[in-house]
Amino acid sequence: MLLQPNLTLPSVSGRIPFAKSNLDEYNPSEFVAFDVLRPRGPPDQGKVLLILSVDMRAKENKKDHNTHKYVSSNLIVRRNKEFTIIIKFNQDFNKQQDNVELEFLIGSSPDENKGTYIILPIGKEKPEVRWKSRVVETQGNYVTVGVTPDASCIIGRFRIFVVVVSVLGKRRTERNTETDVYVLFNPWDPADHVYMVKDEDRQEYVMNDVGIIYNGEFSNITYRSWNFGQFEQGVLDACLLVLDSGKVPLFFRGSATEIVRQASALMNAQDDDGVLVGNWSGDYAEGTAPTAWTGSPEILLKYAKKSGETVCFAQCWVFAGVLNTFMRCLGIPARVITNFCSAHDNTGNLKTDIVLDEEGKVDQSRTKDSVWNYHCWTEVYMKRLDLPEKFSGWQVIDSTPQETSDGFYRCGPTSVNAIKEGELSYPFDAKFVFAELNSDVVFHRSDKEGKMKILHVDTGYVGKLVVTKKHGSSDYEDITSTYKYPEKTVKEREVMQNAERSGMAIGDNLPKPEAGVTIELQADTVKIGDDFKLTLNINNQTSKTRTVNATITGCVAFYTGVVSMTFKTENKAATAESLTVDVNAKEYTPYLVEQAKLLFVVYGHIVETDMSLITMKVVTLQPPKLTLTMTGTPQVGKDLMTSVDFQNPFNFILQNVQLRIDGPGLIPIKIKSYSQILPGGSVRYKVSMVPRTPGKKVLMACLDCPLLRQVTNQVEIEILKS
């Protein structure tokens, strides 16, 4: 047996023991050599083929593979598309006589039979290997080799070795992390299951690194920019670490369906030490408030820096934003969705129960269900090989920990087309998503003895509006029609019948009394700290006089619909078309919670018919403005100065204030802290930046403190080439 440096053969089984992480350094001592022939005398070094260098052509290949935006010196390619490398030998390469192989290895125990150890002979066919290689060009001792990863291969970071095979055994290049190659999903290729036909879709859902996440309520939609940052340095490695830390088997990592299902669990730390800890308590002293984050890179890089330690804290839009980054980073088309008036159906019977007491006020102790003002999830685009073809396309995935699925807090992938048609027997979690969009809101009245009577059923409150970002715009696109048919249509009734056949409990034949009168609440845009008027519009659809005795209840509520405090109750009688209710700031201000939402519930009793009618309205109070101004030339390599200004308009002190500035391609995230901002006081934070890349950029800022959450602003800048 002859052992020489870098002179090795894989074991007979084709497995090579390696360190546990696929990103670890190679240790030559872990290779074992077998069957190396002992030469009769010293070899003629002039005739021994040696590898002098390997050029991965990272810049050229990344441009061809649409991976040029990744900030990494390593080669990053996409499945089923050829990339080329140039190998320099010590002598002219003879395709017929010389035996040279490329080895690609991933994981701790590479195995040819599992797609984790790929051997590609240069210039020779190997039919059993689904990866392909060819000699593109030979110029003396320089050989250009083309390599095409299989369209369904494992995605991740592969170690690469060039091997010269001779009677002496195998002579490998040394382990070099700079030649590691990342292989990603390929939405540009029809053979890949994440293929998208239109380039404008790929540019928006794969290549766009800044997005918009919508919030507020359906009648007053607000938004904030979000730095997806999938190309920023270290983010790709962080995403792969998520899979490694979650012990996702390598054989799962070639399947988009498996990747997204695993990821929907791994983004939350509820039961598997995932990336983010969910927190809706209002107490964020042990971490960062969900409203303070400006993007995903800060979160993922923090997770990676601490070797997979969970990051505190998140709520639905943070989970959706980070999951969206994860998907786009790996090459899976993705977008963030907001569903306004989203039901959380614990019982699976399409009922959200709200209980009123005898006086018509919301009974907080007996109301356990809630309708979220909005809920964000992620959609991914892919072919579902496990479902009928018509259910491919956009799929819902949701990492906000609400309910378990197969033992873990996760949701999806769920076909959007299947949700729309009520075909809920297909995997995964279709019934839960269907309920978020289609539950009835059932209002009950409880007497002193606890007996319940159904007063009113609202079949149209939930799933009012579903939106996502438009192509190349900060405006939203209404995609409600992709999830559901219009209310009270023949198609909607057919869908409910399909859902019932799929095992969905549609309710207990709930009565839907027709009162002949409808009521609607309206309010103008209101700033935090302002007095305002609430208008109750009464529409009498009969020819007779109808007197409505109305009880108006005003509550401070979280965005999840959970009531924190009732601050106002008022009784009014009316026969006219409308009546108004004055709401004073001093009534609600002491009780405000994060995101400053007020929930108003009106219970109306029609005197002449003894019928009941109920309506709800959420008013999102607008925070004060954050001002962004820029000076300088918006050009690559030139200095730009940004100023962020804020004035405290309130009569109370803002304490423990945190200000974030973020902008991919413009500036690394900057955080400035202030111990307090006095009433009427102002702060100004100036930051200098030097743009790295040309094109449209977004600079975003967020001010956050316990008494004032989610004060945001953003500005778009066109950066010129140098």
Side-chain angles (χ1 to χ4, degrees), residues 105 184 247 285 392 419 449 684:
L105 305 92
L184 308 179
K247 298 180 175 58
S392 290
I419 294 299
E449 298 176 355
R684 171 173 290 177

Side-chain angles (χ1 to χ4, degrees), residues 298-349:
E298 183 184 359
I299 294 167
L300 288 167
L301 294 176
K302 187 174 183 179
Y303 172 84
K305 185 177 181 180
K306 295 189 176 182
S307 302
E309 183 179 318
T310 55
V311 179
C312 301
F313 293 105
Q315 291 176 7
C316 70
W317 70 92
V318 182
F319 284 115
V322 177
L323 186 55
N324 194 73
T325 295
F326 180 92
M327 295 302 156
R328 289 188 185 183
C329 188
L330 298 185
I332 300 174
R335 60 188 187 182
V336 175
I337 306 299
T338 302
N339 175 35
F340 289 98
C341 300
S342 187
H344 182 180
D345 184 22
N346 290 303
T347 57
N349 65 355

Side-chain angles (χ1 to χ4, degrees), residues 450-487:
K451 294 181 180 179
M452 308 280 276
K453 176 186 177 183
I454 294 176
L455 297 176
H456 181 70
V457 179
D458 191 336
T459 61
Y461 187 79
V462 168
K464 283 271 193 185
L465 180 67
V466 185
V467 302
T468 191
K469 177 184 175 297
K470 271 186 180 178
H471 287 174
S473 169
S474 60
D475 293 336
Y476 68 82
E477 178 184 357
D478 182 351
I479 59 168
T480 313
S481 62
T482 67
Y483 279 92
K484 56 196 298 188
Y485 290 100
E487 294 286 335

Side-chain angles (χ1 to χ4, degrees), residues 203-499:
Q203 294 305 317
E204 182 65 53
Y205 304 130
V206 181
M207 301 300 289
N208 196 352
D209 58 358
V210 177
I212 299 289
I213 299 180
Y214 298 94
N215 50 35
E217 80 263 3
F218 73 91
S219 60
N220 183 20
I221 296 174
T222 55
Y223 69 90
R224 61 181 300 168
S225 291
W226 189 265
N227 176 13
F228 296 127
Q230 66 268 34
F231 306 120
E232 293 192 20
Q233 188 169 13
V235 170
L236 177 53
D237 281 332
C239 292
L240 296 177
L241 177 63
V242 172
L243 296 175
D244 289 342
S245 299
K247 298 180 175 58
V248 177
L250 285 170
F251 63 84
F252 277 7
R253 302 190 195 184
S255 164
T257 301
E258 289 290 356
I259 286 278
V260 302
R261 180 145 177 82
Q262 297 288 330
S264 74
L266 294 172
M267 283 304 120
N268 70 70
Q270 190 76 5
D271 47 22
D272 50 13
D273 296 325
V275 176
L276 282 158
V277 178
N279 185 347
W280 286 263
S281 71
D283 180 5
Y284 310 116
E286 300 301 316
T288 300
T291 46
W293 301 111
T294 53
S296 308
E298 183 184 359
I299 294 167
L300 288 167
L301 294 176
K302 187 174 183 179
Y303 172 84
K305 185 177 181 180
K306 295 189 176 182
S307 302
E309 183 179 318
T310 55
V311 179
C312 301
F313 293 105
Q315 291 176 7
C316 70
W317 70 92
V318 182
F319 284 115
V322 177
L323 186 55
N324 194 73
T325 295
F326 180 92
M327 295 302 156
R328 289 188 185 183
C329 188
L330 298 185
I332 300 174
R335 60 188 187 182
V336 175
I337 306 299
T338 302
N339 175 35
F340 289 98
C341 300
S342 187
H344 182 180
D345 184 22
N346 290 303
T347 57
N349 65 355
L350 288 184
K351 283 171 54 182
T352 299
D353 298 306
I354 295 178
V355 181
L356 308 181
D357 62 19
E358 285 189 300
E359 297 178 359
K361 298 183 293 185
V362 176
D363 190 330
Q364 293 177 234
S365 64
R366 295 188 180 184
T367 300
K368 306 300 180 185
D369 293 343
S370 65
V371 178
W372 293 32
N373 301 148
Y374 65 89
H375 177 51
C376 298
W377 59 65
T378 310
E379 280 184 1
V380 288
Y381 193 88
M382 66 180 62
K383 186 173 184 179
R384 289 291 297 273
L385 298 181
D386 56 329
L387 302 182
E389 186 175 353
K390 64 181 179 179
F391 297 136
S392 290
W394 288 112
Q395 314 286 318
V396 172
I397 53 173
D398 190 352
S399 55
T400 300
Q402 298 180 88
E403 298 292 332
T404 58
S405 172
D406 296 334
F408 293 95
Y409 280 92
R410 59 182 170 187
C411 180
T414 306
S415 167
V416 173
N417 291 338
I419 294 299
K420 182 174 183 177
E421 300 301 332
E423 300 285 354
L424 309 182
S425 58
Y426 296 105
F428 298 89
D429 311 310
K431 293 178 183 178
F432 181 81
V433 178
F434 186 84
E436 289 182 296
L437 293 145
N438 294 284
S439 286
D440 292 338
V441 179
V442 183
F443 294 91
H444 305 260
R445 189 172 186 179
S446 173
D447 61 20
K448 292 180 181 179
E449 298 176 355
K451 294 181 180 179
M452 308 280 276
K453 176 186 177 183
I454 294 176
L455 297 176
H456 181 70
V457 179
D458 191 336
T459 61
Y461 187 79
V462 168
K464 283 271 193 185
L465 180 67
V466 185
V467 302
T468 191
K469 177 184 175 297
K470 271 186 180 178
H471 287 174
S473 169
S474 60
D475 293 336
Y476 68 82
E477 178 184 357
D478 182 351
I479 59 168
T480 313
S481 62
T482 67
Y483 279 92
K484 56 196 298 188
Y485 290 100
E487 294 286 335
K488 299 179 180 178
T489 61
V490 173
K491 284 298 296 183
E492 192 230 7
R493 288 195 293 274
E494 290 176 359
V495 166
M496 288 300 174
Q497 291 169 359
N498 288 340

Side-chain angles (χ1 to χ4, degrees), residues 11 60 94 106 113 287 377 384 600 620 633 657 700:
S11 65
E60 297 83 358
N94 188 314
I106 190 170
N113 297 321
W377 59 65
R384 289 291 297 273
F600 293 94
T620 301
T633 304
V657 180
M700 57 199 81

